[in-house]
Every structure is written in structure tokens, then in C-alpha cells.
Amino acid sequence: MAYLGRVLCPILIMTVNITSLTYNAAFTAVSLMVLIANGLLGFFIGMIIDKFIFSYKQLKRGKLELEQYKQSLQATTDAIGITDENGYFEFMNESQFKMYGYTSSELKNWKDCYSQETLDWIEEQVMPKFQLTGHWRGELEGVRKDGSTFPQEMSISKINETGKVIAVVRDITKLKESENLIQHIALHNDLTEIPNRRSMYDKLNELMEKEIPFSLFFIDLDRFKYINDMLGHNAGDQLLVETGRRLEGLQQDMLSVYHLGGDEFIVLSSKTSQREVQQLAMDISKQVSWPQLLNGNQIQITPSIGISRYPEDTDNKEELLQFADLAMYHGKQSGKNRFVLYNDSIKRCQERKLIIEQQLGNAIAEGELSLYFQPKYDMEAKCLVGLEALIRWESAVLGDVSPAEFIPIAEESTLIVDIGKWVINESLSRLSKWEDKGYRPVKLSVNISNRQLQEKQFVSFLRAMMEEFQVDPQYLELEITETITTEANIIPLLNAIKDLGVGLSIDDFGTGYSSLSVLNYLPIDTLKIDRSFVHHISSGKYGEEVIKSIIDIGRNMDLVVVAEGIETEEHFNLLRKLKCPIGQGYYFGKPVSYEEIEWKLKRIS
Ligand code: C2E
Ligand code: MG
Ligand code: MG
């Protein structure tokens, strides 16, 4: 088709020529040359016709394409506009004026789409780059006709041939909203909506970069786990939300609150003097401890607060948090509901704790552990009726370390599990030897840590040990803590122990916050009144009343009551007057070695 003109024209002209020559019968050399020349002429004319047809078709196709482009420019939600050198629109698609809330005739110049502030910024930041490269792409804030603003992404290019500018603008409101939401989620606690650990680190970085002094309050709620377990997780969540709200409501400039997770909150304050920090700690404590209603129960929860200061304590953010955490932990251990400022002695404590942890790992293998035994006496007959096994550690590096110090450290790691197994093994081995030697049998009480008790294999391990040493289970009693009694699923576990014939005793009773009603459903045999109550007796405070009621409850529930920490004749007389059946304490005898207790057992047998 493209060569149609070039083929048809020469044929047509030459046919006409040949017909006329045949008609005139004048075939000469000249006429033949004229024929060829005409043929060539026809070819050129054909070529011109072909070109014309081709250009026409091109033009038609171009028009069609242009129409298609126009339609697609109109169909897109991106705003597309072409402006002249002065910024006036020469072309704009529908989205261009609709995006800004104008009609097509209202929107004249691209500058109508931005605030003066943005225009200044474009002049300063965008134009130099655009002039240099002919392109720019970035985010801006567009202004609609009604004055409202929206975030947009803009791409502009210069059309070199004409000097005009083509701009494509996309409304990124939705994108920004999702971005903001994702960022909010990443930086806030999903329960309380309070900025989280990441936000806190951002803030710490910012303050440290600017070298602004501040104090960091590490807040942990006392007994939160207990309330969570007792009242349910919904109530626990409610309590956290309320605590966060109260902390955020603290009235002070430059104060920010973070929720690290669980019951841990952080407050950062620009106040750093000892007096100011103490004042703020008291305010925090007061706010948090204010009673609140949870599931119809009025609950009062107290915080333990640890405080570290920048740059006074350290200029390392991890350390700053760790120091405040340590100080908080220190406060918890010394009785909860208090605030502690980080200091060197806490640091030394921490260092010692680390050494204890390292050394304790080898204590069993090195044979550094031993058991001591403290007698329990019948208060009326004043005769020995039982023993408590108490662990002793003579460390090659640290010397004698009290169990009151190393047991809590072992409990924080898995070390307690091996130590606990060693204690059971050693206790049963002693019991079986005494039986073999024919001594008068006495009940041996063994202390069991919460963590040890909650080990999956605990009951099967105990059963295996009982079988191995063949001891009569009635002469073994486990001393458990009061706090474990509120754990979920504790009753089946305690029942499984009772099924072995082993006795159960609650140690340090009265210090673990459990209500007396829990005693109704716990399968226990003995209550040991904490020694702090016994010591209060002599100071004439409330001790006597408390002991009397515990003894009465014990008697009503058929439990054996043991008073710990009887040190003096006065303690002894008072407890006897209160009809406490069994006593333990320095008054009767301190914990002694295996050899010494064996000598005593031999004497009474
Ligand atoms: P606990 O079970 O309440 O043991 C009684 C503690 O009071 C013992 O301290 C004992 O020596 C001390 N004590 C006894 N009578 C008196 C007294 O009249 N006055 C005073 N001031 N103290 C008295 P110890 O041996 O230092 O043990 C401390 C704690 O360490 C124990 O308290 C127990 O909770 C834990 N513990 C000891 N041995 C073990 C063990 O083998 N396993 C576990 N898990 N914990 C143990
Ligand atoms: Mg005990
Ligand atoms: Mg005790």
C-alpha cells in the first residue's frame, strides 16, 4: 500500500502513452524515449502521492493518540498541569482544579495552590535545584480554595523546547495517615497509648545530644502481678491505663511519661536537684497510690521508684536506665513503696551481686554448700520436735555468704533449681541416715523456693528422691512462701505433694499480703509466724494481737503454728502465754552443723 502511487502512476501514464502511440502507429525512437520519460514522471508523481498519503495517515494517528493521551490525563487522579514561564496554566486536567477545590476557570496560576510560606520555601529550596537540572520531586503542603491544607507529592519537569513546566501532583493524605498510624503504633504502648521504650530512647538521645541535665524515674507497681491474678487481666489493664493517666496528669514543665510495658513506667524530668527529685518522687507516689475502683473493689497500689540522673550518674543511656532500675529494685527489696536515688553503694551491691552469681554457679561442684539445722521446740514440754534445714555457703572467693543474700540472686536465674535439688537430696540423705542409726525420728523442714516449686519436674523429682532414700514421708515437710499461694494452679500442685505424704508449711506467714481466707482452701499443715511479729511483741506494738489471731486461726483450722525468731525469755514467755504450740529461734538454739545436730539427736534418742 505504501508504494501504490509509485506503481499506479507510471502504469497509468505509460498505458495512456502506449494507447496513443498504437493509435497513431508512430513507434519511433523519439516516441519511445518520451514514453520512458513519462514513465519516470509518473513514478515521481506517484512518490509524491505516496508521501502525501503517508503524512495524512500519520497526522490522523497522531490526532487519535493525542486524544487518547488527553483522555488518560483527564482520567488520572493525579493533578497534571502545564504552565507557561509566568506560572499560568496552559493546560490542566480535571484533577488539577478539583484537588484544590476550584472550577477550571477559577484556577489560573500554580501559585494559587500554596501558602506564602510554602512559596518562599519553594523559592529558596526548590528553584535553585530545578533551574540546574530541569527536574524536582518532593513533598509539599497544598492549600485548597477553602484554606484547608493537605500533604502532596509533586514532580516538576521543564519542557526544554518551549520553556514551559509540567507538574504532576499527588494527594498523599491517606498515605500520610497510614504512615502516622504506623508510627504511632511503633512509638506507643498499645494498651495505655503512652509513648513506649523506643520513644523514650529517642527522647534520651535528644536530651543527651543537647546536653540537657535531667532525671529518670523508673516506676514499678508493687503487687501488680497479685492484683492481676486476683482480679483478672481486664482489671490489671484498667489499673495500668489509670496509672498512666495519673502520671501524665502530673503538673510539671518538661516532664514526659513512657510506658515500657507490663507495670513499668518511666518519667523524665528536667528537675535534678536532690530536693526537687525527692519532691517529684513523692508526687508520683501520691498520685499512683490514690485508691481506685476496680471491678467494684477499692484498690490501692503503691509504686517503687528508682531514680538516676544525667549527667551526674552516667552519660550512657542504657546505664542510666539500668541504674534507675537497680535503685528501684533496691527499694523493692527493702520493703516496697519507696523511692531510691541511685548511688555508689547500689553500684557496689550490684557488683557484688554479679560476683555472687558467677561464684554460685560453681558452688555445688566445688563442695562449698552445706546444710545447717535449727531445732524447733514444743513450747510446753520444751523438747525438740523438729528441725529446719538451712543452707550455708562458704565461698572460696567471698567467704561465708548468707542465704538471705544468695538465695534471692539464685532465684533470679535458674541456679535455684540445681541448688534446690541439692538441698532436697542432702536433706533426705541425712534423714535416712538418722533413721538407719535408730535416732528418735523428728520432722525435717526444707525450704523450697517459688521458682523451684513451679518447675515442671518438681513433684516427679521429689517422688524419685523419696523412693531412692526410702524415708518415711511423714518426717519431711516443705516450707513454701506465702506469695506462692496466690499463683494460678497452685492447689493441684500442692495436692500432688500432699499425695506423697509430705507435709506443707507456710513460711514467714503474715508478710505476703495473702488474705487469711486463702488458708481455707490450701492443703497445708503448718503456719510459721514471721519473726518480725515476734520481735514486735517486746516493743509492745501490734505484734501480740496479730500473733494471737494467727494462733487462733491455726487452731480453728487444725494447723500447727510455729513462731519463728524467739530470741529471749520474754518472747518465749509471751508466746507460751498466747498458747503458741511450737517455737524456733536463737533462744532454743542457732542453726548448727550436721555433726552438732547429730550429737543432739543422739542425746535425746
Ligand atoms: P527462713 O526459712 O525464714 O529461715 C529462718 C531464718 O531465720 C534463718 O536464717 C535462721 O537462721 C534465722 N533465725 C532463726 N532463728 C532466729 C532468731 O531467733 N533471730 C533471728 N534474727 N534470726 C533467726 P538464714 O539461715 O540466714 O536463712 C534465711 C532465709 O534463707 C530463710 O528464711 C529461707 O527463706 C532462705 N533459705 C535458707 N535455706 C534455704 C534453702 O535451703 N532453700 C531455700 N530455697 N531457701 C533457703
Ligand atoms: Mg524457712
Ligand atoms: Mg521463716
Side-chain angles (χ1 to χ4, degrees):
M1 285 293 277
Y3 301 102
L4 201 68
R6 268 163 278 189
V7 175
L8 284 183
C9 271
I11 292 175
L12 200 72
I13 291 178
M14 283 174 78
T15 312
V16 171
N17 262 252
I18 291 168
T19 316
S20 99
L21 283 176
T22 323
Y23 186 73
N24 293 328
F27 267 110
T28 62
V30 175
S31 63
L32 208 64
M33 280 179 64
V34 170
L35 182 68
I36 292 167
N38 279 343
L40 282 174
L41 185 67
F43 179 76
F44 283 120
I45 293 171
M47 230 164 75
I48 291 165
I49 292 172
D50 281 345
K51 274 240 163 90
F52 178 75
I53 293 172
F54 178 73
S55 304
Y56 176 73
K57 279 186 182 167
Q58 285 279 81
L59 196 68
K60 221 173 133 186
R61 190 178 307 139
K63 265 190 166 178
L64 203 72
E65 279 177 3
L66 195 65
E67 193 51 40
Q68 278 172 353
Y69 287 140
K70 265 191 171 176
Q71 276 179 18
S72 34
L73 287 183
Q74 294 300 0
T76 174
T77 50
D78 290 348
I80 299 170
I82 298 175
T83 55
D84 66 13
E85 297 82 345
N86 298 317
Y88 286 97
F89 284 108
E90 288 197 342
F91 167 83
M92 65 175 110
N93 68 355
E94 228 176 283
S95 302
Q96 176 69 48
F97 52 87
K98 281 192 174 163
M99 190 178 279
Y100 296 91
Y102 291 100
T103 61
S104 61
S105 56
E106 281 172 335
L107 188 58
K108 301 268 189 272
N109 196 301
W110 70 271
K111 291 186 179 171
D112 300 337
C113 305
Y114 300 96
S115 66
Q116 190 52 49
E117 200 184 331
T118 308
L119 290 173
D120 292 345
W121 183 83
I122 293 175
E123 196 59 47
E124 261 176 47
Q125 305 288 327
V126 179
M127 281 313 172
K129 288 176 200 158
F130 180 67
Q131 302 299 2
L132 207 67
T133 60
H135 298 286
W136 183 83
R137 188 191 186 99
E139 287 181 13
L140 291 172
E141 188 182 67
V143 182
R144 298 192 189 92
K145 186 182 164 191
D146 63 7
S148 61
T149 59
F150 66 98
Q152 59 172 231
E153 190 185 70
M154 179 159 83
S155 160
I156 45 173
S157 311
K158 197 178 219 161
I159 306 170
N160 284 336
E161 294 77 10
T162 59
K164 292 173 184 172
V165 176
I166 177 161
V168 181
V169 172
R170 176 167 293 178
D171 182 340
I172 52 170
T173 307
K174 285 251 150 41
L175 190 89
K176 282 280 155 196
E177 276 170 8
S178 325
E179 229 173 75
N180 290 343
L181 186 69
I182 291 168
Q183 197 160 17
H184 182 86
I185 292 170
L187 293 175
H188 292 77
N189 180 282
D190 47 4
L191 171 70
T192 55
E193 297 270 321
I194 292 176
N196 62 11
R197 186 183 289 266
R198 254 183 75 180
S199 307
M200 181 199 66
Y201 276 125
D202 288 350
K203 186 72 181 178
L204 292 184
N205 281 337
E206 182 196 320
L207 292 171
M208 285 181 173
E209 256 164 38
K210 294 182 187 159
E211 298 187 0
I212 300 173
F214 63 92
S215 50
L216 185 151
F217 294 68
F218 197 117
I219 302 158
D220 185 287
L221 303 181
D222 302 328
R223 297 167 65 214
F224 176 71
K225 192 176 172 314
Y226 172 73
I227 289 176
N228 215 25
D229 290 346
M230 291 301 276
L231 300 181
H233 290 259
N234 279 347
D237 285 356
Q238 240 184 69
L239 189 135
L240 292 174
V241 171
E242 177 59 17
T243 304
R245 207 187 54 76
R246 290 179 185 192
L247 289 174
E248 286 192 318
L250 283 164
Q251 298 296 319
Q252 205 193 77
D253 294 342
M254 293 274 297
L255 181 134
S256 43
V257 179
Y258 304 87
H259 185 185
L260 298 191
D263 62 341
E264 291 177 351
F265 292 85
I266 297 286
V267 166
L268 297 182
S269 162
S270 56
K271 308 274 187 259
T272 52
S273 79
Q274 182 135 342
R275 196 183 50 78
E276 289 170 326
V277 164
Q278 282 174 348
Q279 185 56 52
L280 181 54
M282 284 191 284
D283 290 349
I284 292 174
S285 198
K286 199 166 141 198
Q287 279 301 321
V288 174
S289 333
W290 210 253
Q292 49 180 304
L293 261 187
L294 285 179
N295 287 355
N297 303 292
Q298 202 182 49
I299 297 291
Q300 188 178 19
I301 194 149
T302 55
S304 289
I305 306 168
I307 307 150
S308 58
R309 285 175 287 180
Y310 166 84
E312 204 173 310
D313 295 325
T314 173
D315 57 6
N316 173 310
K317 56 180 186 299
E318 297 291 349
E319 270 185 4
L320 200 70
L321 195 70
Q322 190 200 347
F323 289 174
D325 189 6
L326 272 176
M328 181 279 293
Y329 185 72
H330 225 72
K332 267 219 167 163
Q333 286 202 318
S334 43
K336 300 183 177 152
N337 189 18
R338 55 195 68 204
F339 60 87
V340 176
L341 252 94
Y342 178 77
N343 58 37
D344 281 348
S345 86
I346 294 178
K347 194 175 184 170
R348 279 194 296 278
C349 263
Q350 178 60 9
E351 283 161 3
R352 180 171 162 88
K353 198 177 142 189
L354 281 176
I355 302 174
I356 288 180
E357 214 173 302
Q358 283 162 4
Q359 295 300 317
L360 202 53
N362 303 323
I364 298 178
E366 298 292 329
E368 294 175 349
L369 299 182
S370 63
L371 281 189
Y372 266 45
F373 300 87
Q374 188 177 28
K376 291 181 191 173
Y377 272 71
D378 181 301
M379 296 285 283
E380 272 308 312
K382 266 195 151 184
C383 65
L384 191 147
V385 286
L387 298 172
E388 177 173 5
L390 293 159
I391 196 166
R392 294 290 175 265
W393 176 27
E394 198 184 332
S395 159
V397 175
L398 298 159
D400 285 339
V401 187
S402 155
E405 186 176 11
F406 75 80
I407 290 286
I409 296 172
E411 279 171 343
E412 280 174 29
S413 66
T414 51
L415 283 170
I416 192 65
V417 178
D418 287 339
I419 292 176
K421 283 181 175 170
W422 179 88
V423 170
I424 290 177
N425 187 72
E426 188 73 4
S427 303
L428 292 180
S429 138
R430 298 299 182 204
L431 256 186
S432 89
K433 277 191 191 125
W434 292 331
E435 251 180 66
D436 292 347
K437 288 184 180 175
Y439 297 155
R440 181 160 68 82
V442 288
K443 192 173 260 188
L444 180 63
S445 305
V446 177
N447 291 287
I448 305 291
S449 283
N450 292 359
R451 177 118 186 220
Q452 187 187 356
L453 193 65
Q454 283 168 313
E455 272 289 299
K456 269 200 183 120
Q457 312 296 332
F458 180 76
V459 177
S460 54
F461 171 77
L462 187 63
R463 186 183 300 115
M465 287 285 106
M466 302 285 293
E467 279 165 13
E468 185 181 330
F469 289 105
Q470 290 291 308
V471 294
D472 186 342
Q474 65 167 310
Y475 295 118
L476 180 67
E477 183 175 67
L478 305 186
E479 289 193 6
I480 61 172
T481 65
E482 192 182 345
T483 47
I484 190 108
T485 57
T486 54
E487 291 287 326
N489 287 333
I490 192 69
I491 309 282
L493 179 64
L494 298 184
N495 280 330
I497 296 170
K498 290 290 303 173
D499 288 346
L500 297 175
V502 174
L504 282 173
S505 165
I506 296 196
D507 205 355
D508 308 332
F509 187 76
T511 55
Y513 304 105
S514 62
S515 65
L516 292 171
S517 59
V518 298
L519 298 173
N520 280 320
Y521 54 83
L522 287 174
I524 50 161
D525 310 277
T526 309
L527 275 188
K528 290 186 81 176
I529 305 174
D530 189 65
R531 68 167 184 262
S532 57
F533 296 113
V534 175
H535 288 186
H536 276 130
I537 288 187
S538 39
S539 66
K541 278 199 197 157
Y542 52 86
E544 192 170 328
E545 274 163 52
V546 177
I547 291 180
K548 190 173 178 311
S549 55
I550 297 178
I551 293 171
D552 288 345
I553 290 166
R555 193 181 304 115
N556 292 340
M557 290 184 178
D558 230 6
L559 300 175
V560 177
V561 177
V562 180
E564 290 186 274
I566 301 180
E567 286 185 357
T568 61
E569 182 92 35
E570 188 196 359
H571 292 157
F572 171 73
N573 287 333
L574 266 163
L575 281 155
R576 201 156 70 156
K577 191 186 87 186
L578 295 173
K579 301 233 169 342
C580 178
I582 295 178
Q584 178 184 353
Y586 296 165
Y587 175 73
F588 298 110
K590 290 195 167 178
V592 290
S593 69
Y594 170 66
E595 291 80 14
E596 279 179 77
I597 206 71
E598 200 170 272
W599 185 78
K600 212 169 205 158
L601 288 175
K602 211 170 172 178
R603 251 192 8 190
I604 60 165
S605 298

